[in-house]
């Protein structure tokens, strides 16, 4: 992979995620845009980034024209606000970060996608959610390809009791126009397992 640019997603230093997402000409220079968990969602000027009609339109146009977008965990709001019917997230859809109720721990997940299973050489994977409050998904919309599912442990937003969300889609992908969007509930950082490393490799080349 060459010509990688890192945009600051947390402190607002330049080049920043705000600069990237508000500039369609800048977005068009890239084949793939990765929005990592914890990337800035608020904006000191005007609406928050995830709720900005300009940002949403820029992301849609980027993907529709053949670009690929990947978001992980808390960055889900960029997908939910821009393509609201592709993934059903846990909690109140009208509130930012309302789906972040996952309980930390390992999940033995099932690989639902044949191509990914062949790449991994197995039909199940070990996923490490080393931090609580990860984003839980409940289902996928029509046209969304579910790659990995698992029994997600979450905190009930009403009773604050532990609940299980069966067959939660933990990794999904959908096409929009000429491009693709991929989302994972898990990170690809220090807590990654060997399975997660292979998934990341597959994901990069799939996009």
């Amino acid at each position: 992979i060459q010509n990688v640019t890192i945009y600051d997603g947390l402190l607002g230093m330049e080049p920043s995620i705000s600069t990237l997402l508000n500039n369609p000409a800048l977005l068009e220079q890239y084949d793939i845009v990765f929005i990592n968990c914890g990337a800035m969602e608020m904006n000191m000027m005007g609406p928050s980034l995830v709720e900005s009609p300009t940002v949403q339109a820029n992301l849609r146009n980027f993907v529709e024209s053949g670009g690929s977008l990947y978001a992980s965990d808390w960055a889900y709001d960029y997908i939910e606000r821009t393509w609201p019917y592709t993934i059903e997230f846990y909690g109140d859809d009208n509130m930012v970060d309302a789906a972040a109720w996952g309980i930390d721990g390992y999940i033995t997940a099932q690989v639902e996608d044949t191509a990914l299973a062949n790449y991994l050489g197995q039909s199940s994977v070990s996923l490490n959610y080393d931090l609580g409050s990860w984003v839980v998904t409940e289902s996928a919309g029509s046209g969304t390809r579910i790659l990995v599912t698992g029994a997600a442990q979450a905190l009930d937003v009403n009773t604050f009791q532990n609940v299980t969300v069966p067959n939660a889609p933990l990794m999904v992908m959908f096409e929009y126009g000429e491009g693709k969007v991929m989302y994972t509930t898990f990170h690809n950082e220090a807590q990654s397992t060997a399975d997660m490393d292979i998934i990341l490799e597959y994901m990069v080349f799939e996009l």
Side-chain angles (χ1 to χ4, degrees):
I1 301 175
Q2 298 178 338
N3 303 322
V4 175
T5 305
I6 305 296
Y7 288 85
D8 186 81
L10 198 59
L11 301 177
M13 298 175 63
E14 293 298 331
S16 72
I17 186 175
S18 179
T19 299
L20 174 66
L21 299 184
N22 279 293
N23 189 333
L26 187 57
L27 272 170
E28 289 175 3
Q29 296 180 19
Y30 299 100
D31 296 316
I32 308 174
V33 170
F34 293 81
I35 305 180
N36 198 25
C37 171
M40 181 174 61
E41 297 176 341
M42 305 310 294
N43 190 356
M44 299 302 292
M45 301 293 291
S48 67
L49 288 176
V50 295
E51 295 174 325
S52 165
T54 298
V55 169
Q56 293 170 8
N58 289 344
L59 285 174
R60 279 193 294 268
N61 291 336
F62 168 71
V63 176
E64 187 174 31
S65 299
S68 292
L69 174 68
Y70 165 69
S72 66
D73 201 10
W74 281 10
Y76 85 99
D77 285 303
Y78 285 100
I79 294 178
E80 182 169 48
R81 293 298 188 272
T82 307
W83 295 277
Y85 302 110
T86 55
I87 308 168
E88 180 59 37
F89 292 95
Y90 191 70
D92 188 344
D93 290 345
N94 296 314
M95 293 179 59
V96 173
D97 295 335
W101 291 95
I103 297 172
D104 61 299
Y106 281 84
I107 293 180
T108 299
Q110 301 303 308
V111 181
E112 306 292 348
D113 184 78
T114 301
L116 177 57
N118 290 338
Y119 193 85
L120 287 162
Q122 58 195 49
S123 59
S124 65
V125 290
S126 175
L127 303 178
N128 180 17
Y129 293 85
D130 68 328
L131 297 173
S133 298
W134 56 274
V135 169
V136 178
T137 50
E138 293 185 302
S139 61
S142 175
T144 298
R145 178 176 151 201
I146 300 175
L147 285 78
V148 177
T149 63
Q153 301 300 309
L155 196 65
D156 187 286
V157 296
N158 297 309
T159 66
F160 292 98
Q161 300 296 314
N162 291 0
V163 296
T164 299
V165 180
N167 301 314
L170 305 176
M171 178 180 183
V172 299
M173 174 189 288
F174 61 88
E175 295 181 356
Y176 183 77
E178 299 297 319
K180 298 177 181 178
V181 177
M182 183 179 288
Y183 176 76
T184 62
T185 57
F186 50 86
H187 300 175
N188 294 284
E189 301 179 36
Q191 82 282 8
S192 65
T193 63
D195 290 340
M196 293 164 75
D197 289 340
I198 299 174
I199 288 175
L200 176 61
E201 180 181 277
Y202 173 85
M203 182 181 68
V204 169
F205 291 106
E206 178 71 10
L207 290 172

